Each structure stands twice: as C-alpha cells, then as structure tokens.
Amino acid sequence: MLRLVGTPASPGLAWGPIFRLDAARSSTRRAASADAGREAIEEAMTSARAALAELSQHVADEAAAGILAFQLALLDDEEITRPTFAGIGAGEPADKAWRQVMDALIQDYETAEDSYFQGRAADLRDLRDRVLDSLFGGAQQTIPVGAIVLAEDLAPSRFLAAEWGQGGLVLQRGGTTGHVAILARSRGVPMLVGVDLSRVEPCDEALLDAHEGSLVLAPDARSRHDFEQRRAVHVERARIDATHLGAEARMAGGERVQVLINVARPEELSGVDPGHTDGIGLVRTEFLFHARAQLPDEEEQYRVYRRIVEWAAGRPVTIRTLDAGGDKPIPGLTRTGEGNPFLGVRGVRLSLRRPEVLKVQLRALVRAAAHGNLKIMVPMIAVPDELAQCRLLLTQAVRELAADGEAATPPLGMMVEVPAAALSVADFDADFYSIGSNDLLQYLMAASRDEPELAALASPGPAFWRLLKEITRHGHDVRREVSLCGDLASDVRHVPDLLRCGLRTLSVAPASLAAVKAAVRRS
C-alpha cells in the first residue's frame, strides 16, 4: 500500500480502478509526396476541428466553451498552419512537421513569464495529440467510466470528453483554480493536483480522498473500511443538504439570503426547478458567439434572452454583456497575439471598440426586458467612463425601440472584478454591483489561478476579505444590491466568510444550490 498526498482541487471521494494516460505517440508517417502530406494533415485538422465543434455543442458552461474555442481558433491560426505546410513542402513527414511546430509553441508557452501562457500549454499538447491521432487513423485513449485517472496533466477538452461516473482525477501538474479544476468542481469530479506520480507502481485500484488530499494505492482492508465510513458520512451530509433545496436560505438568526444560479447555456435550465432559486444572478452570453461562422444577430439573441427571462417567471435575471477576450477567444472578434490577454482588450474594452456588436446585444436585451425582470451587467469595468459609455448606448437602444412598444429600460450594473474599480466603487453610476471573485482575486494577488505553485496566493486572504467588506458596505449605504457570482460563492467552505462580509446575495453553480443553502442555514 502506498499513500500519496496532494492538494484538493475539487472535493469528493472516489474508489475505483487506476487508469494511466499515456504520452503522445512518437511514430512517423511518410506520404508519397508533399501534396499528399499536406492533404493528410489538412484532413487530420478538419477531423480535429469537427470533434472540438461537436464537443462544444454539448458543454453547458462558459469555461468549457471558452477552452474549446481557444483550440478551434488555433486550428485556423496561420502562425501554426503556415510553418507546418512549409515543413511538409520541404520534405518532412506530415506528422513530424506538425509536431515540430506544436512542440516549439508548447515550449514557448511553458517558458513564458506570463502564467496565462503557461496554463495554456496543456491545451496545446492536447491539440497536438488530437491531430496526430487523426493523422494516424486512431483515436485518443478512452477514459473508462468510474476510473481514477492519473496523468501528468490533462487538457480541458479531454476532461470534457470523458464520462466520469464515480471516478476521479489525479494530476502531477495543474492548479486548484485552473480550468480543469473549475470544470471538475462544476461536475462533482473529485480531483487532486501536485501529486508525485513517479512513485506509482502498477496496481488494480486506489482510494481518492479529495477532501483531505490523499491517494491510497493498493489499499488494504483497514483502509477500505475507513474510506467507506468517510464516504457514508459525506453521503449523509449530501442527503441532508438536499432537504434544503426547495426552502428559503435563512441564516441561523433568521436573516434571508438570496441564492441565485449562474447559467452559461439555456440548456442548463432544463434540470433546474425555478422554485428552488431566487433567480439567475449571471447569464454568460459567450455561448451565443462560440464555434460559429458569423456573429448572432439581434433576433437570435432576443429569442434566447426572452426564453431565459420567461423561465424565471418574474424572478430577477442578470444577463452579462459579451465577455470575450482573455481565455475566451472568438474568431473574427477578439484580438490575436496579445502579450498578456488577461490584461488586454477583453470584456467591455473589446465591446466599446466594437460598438456595432454591443449595440446589437443591447437592443436584444432591451426587447427581452419587456417580458420579465431583466438586468444588464457589464464585465471588466475599470473606470467610470466605460460604464457611462455603456449607459449612453443602452439609452439609445431604448429610444430606438420605444416606438415599437417592446422596449423596457432595464437596470444597468457592473461586474466588480478589477481592483481599481473595487477600490473606487463609489465613483461608478451602477444600478447594482456583482463581484466576480475569480478575476478580482487573481488581479488583487497578482497570482494566476492556473499556476499550482501559487495556489496559496490565489486563495482568499485578509486583503480580499477587506475589499469585499468595503464593496458590500458601499452597496448598503447607497441601497444598491451587491452580489457575488464568482466560483467562490459555490464553495461551501467560504459561505460563512462571505456572509460575514455582509453579502446577502450569492449566485452559484446550479449543482451547488442545495449545499450552499444548507451552509447558509448553518451560519
């Protein structure tokens, strides 16, 4: 029996067979001619593109869609295709030419000073291997349902393609706030990171405890028994939490807390009873723009927004304007080659540079607001003028549509995720505030959520809690709602801290509704 330790990235318990993911193949395929080699690699890229596009149609959250969009954009990037074709033209085998280009790019990303690029190296390795598998007529390894997967790293698209069942994930690399960790938490897949897998010998099964951070290989009878007892305790806790799903969330003293949900795609709502929520605190509209040949027009957007608003049956629905850029590229809209995409032209910065796109979205939102309690929220606001420009465009949209009788004037609020805005929140003419804890914490601590060595820095600390208290206090003083819609709201460990900061509105992942309500009642 061998016990390894790691850092919990997604809580949970798993007991099952071990499955090791292999490294990429290293064989070579020679074509009869350069033209044949180019045709082969183009076919492999087309196959990979189709697989990623198909996968993107079945994901229901913003993070997953953005990750797949990044890989799709790379397949159309001439900085990758041009040198690949040049290598084939110079006589290199198609797979070698592709591998050389991708390996050089991976090396650049892994050694970059910017942790954003370092975190993207796993996506590049996945894309490299996906195209190679297509080129050789094979398929990527299929992860068995219910297995405990051990790997050096795992690309998000590989995670999304797997059927996890009661399985779990253990990585030697990766961080607790990286993309795969976020996906694992949203799907309830137990996950550890930072585990030394070099000591792992072949064995049949393992026990994964992603609460305390341990992986037990080849467990003995005593370890199995203790694990079963711990699992029974957690199952009972989940059963008790579920009893709170349909009830109001009230603190121990009786004070009401609003618990709403975050939505990345309308399909997520099919499994949620509106009566179990206090509304929708965040609708991510990026799903309308990903993996498509042209941007959605006003009518298409309007129909989707109206459907979501009508689902809520009078409850508030906060819809965020397009938050593209950074780790969420959209071909034909976002910029390529930015030195630091997370600090680049993204969110409202991109929208105000492409006002024709923002105006279409605002018109669709104004029309949908006539059918329910709709609120508009703008991402990545840093200075008051950005929100003021958005308000002018919203006012213009309302005037244009008023003659048709389908215009309402929805409240206009802002995401508080840039430290400069958080520290001067009183200067912004916002109707409400929603704290984006993921980016606010990342920017505040200057620590990427994708860097495992900075996991401690990327966790909430005194400076973060102080800032949340100040934002919440301002909202209370001016009688404007302050909510939190970041990943932190879904983490029951931090619910008491959020409530102590004065927050009384939380927007969480749908799967976390019951657990968060139960955590509120225990506070």
Side-chain angles (χ1 to χ4, degrees):
M1 187 174 74
L2 175 64
R3 184 178 186 274
L4 301 175
V5 297
T7 302
S10 175
L13 300 167
W15 178 355
I18 289 293
F19 179 76
R20 291 291 300 257
L21 277 178
D22 296 335
R25 66 173 76 232
S26 58
S27 54
T28 298
R29 167 178 170 169
R30 287 196 173 275
S33 65
D35 287 344
R38 173 165 178 156
E39 182 179 350
I41 198 68
E42 286 180 332
E43 289 179 357
M45 293 170 68
T46 298
S47 176
R49 187 181 293 106
L52 290 169
E54 171 66 19
L55 188 56
S56 71
Q57 298 302 313
H58 299 287
V59 298
D61 57 82
E62 176 194 30
I67 290 160
L68 297 174
F70 173 77
Q71 291 187 314
L72 283 166
L74 285 175
L75 284 170
D76 294 320
D77 190 339
E78 289 189 357
E79 295 301 316
I80 293 175
T81 58
R82 188 189 305 113
T84 299
F85 296 151
I88 295 172
E92 294 284 0
D95 61 294
K96 185 177 180 181
W98 169 256
R99 184 188 295 278
Q100 286 178 335
V101 171
M102 293 302 293
D103 284 350
L105 189 59
I106 290 167
Q107 176 70 11
D108 287 345
Y109 271 57
E110 288 180 330
T111 58
E113 293 183 3
D114 187 350
S115 56
Y116 165 81
F117 290 102
Q118 296 171 11
R120 282 300 195 185
D123 293 345
L124 294 171
R125 285 192 292 271
D126 176 56
L127 185 63
R128 175 198 64 191
D129 298 344
R130 185 180 290 274
V131 171
L132 288 174
D133 285 331
S134 296
L135 184 65
F136 283 97
Q140 290 185 318
Q141 287 176 284
T142 299
I143 296 174
V145 178
I148 295 178
V149 177
L150 309 184
E152 180 182 358
D153 203 354
L154 185 70
S157 69
R158 293 297 308 277
F159 179 94
L160 292 167
E163 292 287 343
W164 289 96
Q166 299 300 311
L169 177 61
V170 179
L171 299 181
Q172 186 159 316
R173 304 174 64 179
T176 59
T177 53
H179 287 129
V180 173
I182 292 172
L183 295 175
R185 286 193 292 271
S186 70
R187 288 157 175 78
V189 179
M191 176 180 170
L192 292 184
V193 297
V195 179
D196 181 7
L197 298 179
S198 65
R199 302 169 58 195
V200 174
E201 299 290 339
C203 64
D204 293 332
E205 64 177 4
L207 308 176
L208 171 60
D209 188 331
H211 293 287
E212 67 172 26
S214 68
L215 175 69
V216 178
L217 300 161
D220 58 19
R222 177 61 182 272
S223 296
R224 293 190 187 96
H225 178 265
D226 291 346
F227 188 87
E228 274 298 335
Q229 287 190 318
R230 290 199 303 277
R231 184 154 62 179
V233 169
H234 287 285
V235 168
E236 178 62 13
R237 169 54 61 87
R239 185 193 66 78
I240 294 173
D241 287 351
T243 64
H244 299 292
L245 185 58
E248 292 183 343
R250 292 188 178 275
M251 299 170 63
E255 188 174 1
R256 181 82 157 85
V257 176
Q258 303 287 323
V259 182
L260 303 90
I261 59 172
N262 299 331
V263 175
R265 287 176 178 267
E267 293 79 7
E268 291 182 64
L269 298 174
S270 62
V272 181
D273 183 341
H276 293 166
T277 79
D278 291 307
I280 302 177
L282 169 63
V283 177
R284 302 176 173 102
T285 58
E286 291 73 49
F287 71 93
L288 280 164
F289 294 77
H290 284 313
R292 54 185 300 156
Q294 59 185 21
L295 302 180
D297 62 18
E298 177 184 326
E299 188 63 26
E300 179 183 356
Q301 293 190 54
Y302 161 68
R303 289 196 301 269
V304 173
Y305 302 150
R306 176 176 175 176
R307 177 153 56 98
I308 294 172
V309 167
E310 291 178 339
W311 174 91
R315 299 172 182 83
V317 174
T318 300
I319 300 181
R320 186 177 67 189
T321 58
L322 181 62
D323 188 15
D327 59 343
K328 294 169 283 192
I330 297 175
L333 181 61
T334 53
R335 299 186 176 188
T336 59
E338 288 187 311
N340 191 336
F342 270 109
L343 299 180
V345 181
R346 56 171 297 206
V348 70
R349 302 168 184 178
L350 177 63
S351 293
L352 291 176
R353 285 164 175 78
R354 294 292 300 274
E356 72 282 4
V357 177
L358 179 58
K359 288 178 182 178
V360 169
Q361 185 166 39
L362 289 175
R363 283 177 58 90
L365 289 167
V366 168
R367 291 172 60 191
H371 302 279
N373 187 358
L374 185 149
K375 301 155 72 174
I376 299 175
M377 181 164 63
V378 185
M380 281 297 293
I381 293 287
V383 295
D385 186 60
E386 291 170 331
L387 186 61
Q389 289 184 61
C390 291
R391 191 173 290 281
L392 285 174
L393 292 174
L394 175 60
T395 300
Q396 179 183 341
V398 171
R399 286 187 186 137
E400 291 173 354
L401 292 164
D404 298 328
E406 55 180 348
T409 305
L412 181 69
M414 61 181 281
M415 290 282 288
V416 184
E417 52 192 340
V418 177
L423 289 166
S424 58
V425 68
D427 297 336
F428 293 81
D429 180 25
D431 299 326
F432 62 93
Y433 311 95
S434 184
I435 300 168
S437 58
N438 296 358
D439 276 336
L440 180 59
L441 182 56
Q442 176 174 241
Y443 294 141
L444 184 65
M445 300 304 296
S448 170
R449 58 193 187 191
D450 294 311
E451 176 51 62
E453 293 186 29
L454 301 180
L457 284 177
S459 299
F464 180 78
W465 296 124
R466 177 182 174 183
L467 196 52
L468 256 60
K469 288 178 183 177
E470 292 178 357
I471 298 167
T472 306
R473 186 182 302 117
H474 168 72
H476 181 269
D477 290 345
V478 298
R479 298 181 181 277
R480 294 178 186 174
E481 182 183 76
V482 179
S483 64
L484 189 141
C485 64
D487 205 39
L488 207 61
S490 299
D491 190 335
V492 295
R493 297 172 301 173
H494 294 301
V495 166
D497 297 310
L498 296 174
L499 298 178
R500 279 193 287 271
C501 288
L503 284 161
R504 294 298 181 265
T505 303
L506 305 176
S507 194
V508 307
S512 300
L513 263 174
V516 171
K517 284 188 175 184
V520 169
R521 294 177 70 87
R522 292 192 296 267
S523 299

